[in-house]
Amino acid sequence: MMIFPSDCRIELPVAVTIIIVFDRILQTIFRVSTVQIPGISQLLPSLYLCGASVISGKALEHLAISFVINIAPELPDTPLPHSNFNCRVLYLRINAFDLPNANLSVHFDEVTDMIETVRQTGGRTLVHCVAGVSRSTTFCLAYLIKYAGMNLREAFFHTKAIRPQIRPNLGFFQQLRAYEQHLHGVVSINMVYYECIRCKIPDVYETEYRAMEDFYQKQKKFKRLHRY
């Protein structure tokens, strides 16, 4: 329920009163929908991604967040808005560390479905871990490929354009590739072997490793030529 200031309750013709009240409603909606908070990235009108350090009850209130997902067992519970906030905030905590062998995929369907349900009811979701780089990004990408009409490659570059520091670990990327295969029957990101680090990486990470791989191959060739 929205409570208006007492100065709205004046004796005016009904039509004028309705116009004043409606204008106050529009101002409130516009203010909520355009507010930006440094460190909190808006991926969609109803989906936000961030690290823990920028979250406060006031920030959640300003953004009109109605659902918070915390994927960081090493952190305390997320600070939620005070009890006088006019929207009850749902809260989900997932205990998973940022390790390649941590299985986030067992939660993909449940979490993405909850985010979509919140969107359909006019709410907004904020997903966070410690830094807003790996775990929380993984769940946001899972949502984008399930409900936003994007493949994994499109979802990754869409999110990276808004939040450049994203970097799901290699294990999470493999889980996302498997999830995309399960949902759509295709895989849009390939895994490429890099000898310099002796493992496969997603092809979207190649620019980070290309110089290292080139240097490694040059050194390998030099040693081979000068072995005798």
Side-chain angles (χ1 to χ4, degrees):
M1 178 181 295
M2 192 174 294
I3 301 176
F4 299 99
S6 59
D7 60 355
C8 279
R9 304 180 187 281
I10 54 179
E11 295 297 327
L12 291 173
V14 173
V16 176
T17 303
I18 291 174
I19 290 172
I20 292 174
V21 172
F22 184 65
D23 183 62
R24 295 291 179 89
I25 294 173
L26 288 179
Q27 290 178 26
T28 301
I29 293 173
F30 183 77
R31 183 169 61 250
V32 168
S33 63
T34 59
V35 67
Q36 293 183 342
I37 297 175
I40 300 181
S41 305
Q42 185 175 16
L43 307 185
L44 296 174
S46 60
L47 182 62
Y48 293 79
L49 166 64
C50 70
S53 63
V54 296
I55 301 176
S56 66
K58 202 68 176 176
L60 298 179
E61 185 175 345
H62 283 324
L63 294 172
I65 298 297
S66 48
F67 182 30
V68 174
I69 304 173
N70 174 355
I71 315 108
E74 63 268 49
L75 294 177
D77 283 326
T78 308
L80 301 178
H82 296 301
S83 57
N84 59 353
F85 182 45
N86 62 2
C87 177
R88 182 182 178 186
V89 177
L90 303 175
Y91 180 66
L92 174 64
R93 187 180 181 100
I94 298 174
N95 292 323
F97 289 97
D98 187 15
L99 299 171
N101 61 352
N103 190 356
L104 300 189
S105 65
V106 295
H107 304 289
F108 282 171
D109 277 330
E110 177 187 11
V111 170
T112 56
D113 290 351
M114 292 175 72
I115 294 173
E116 178 63 8
T117 298
V118 169
R119 185 197 68 80
Q120 290 179 0
T121 56
R124 297 177 177 182
T125 298
L126 181 140
V127 189
H128 82 88
C129 51
V130 174
V133 170
S134 183
R135 286 169 286 185
S136 52
T137 297
T138 298
F139 279 103
C140 289
L141 294 177
Y143 175 80
L144 293 176
I145 64 177
K146 185 171 185 178
Y147 284 110
M150 303 181 195
N151 61 34
L152 179 54
R153 180 176 295 275
E154 292 166 340
F156 176 82
F157 284 113
H158 168 80
T159 304
K160 190 172 180 62
I162 298 168
R163 190 174 181 83
Q165 66 267 43
I166 66 163
R167 199 180 190 284
N169 71 44
L170 301 183
F172 295 165
F173 235 114
Q174 291 281 32
Q175 293 172 44
L176 285 167
R177 292 177 73 248
Y179 194 54
E180 180 182 33
Q181 175 74 46
H182 169 70
L183 291 173
H184 305 303
V186 296
V187 177
S188 59
I189 291 178
N190 296 317
M191 300 298 290
V192 182
Y193 183 78
Y194 268 60
E195 195 173 353
C196 61
I197 55 175
R198 294 180 172 83
C199 70
K200 290 184 177 182
I201 63 169
D203 60 25
V204 294
Y205 288 171
E206 282 196 272
T207 55
E208 302 175 28
Y209 291 96
R210 174 52 60 189
M212 186 188 306
E213 180 69 12
D214 289 344
F215 178 78
Y216 176 85
Q217 293 299 335
K218 287 177 181 178
Q219 289 297 308
K220 183 179 176 181
K221 182 178 180 180
F222 178 83
K223 291 177 181 178
R224 186 169 60 248
L225 291 173
H226 294 80
R227 181 174 299 173
Y228 302 106

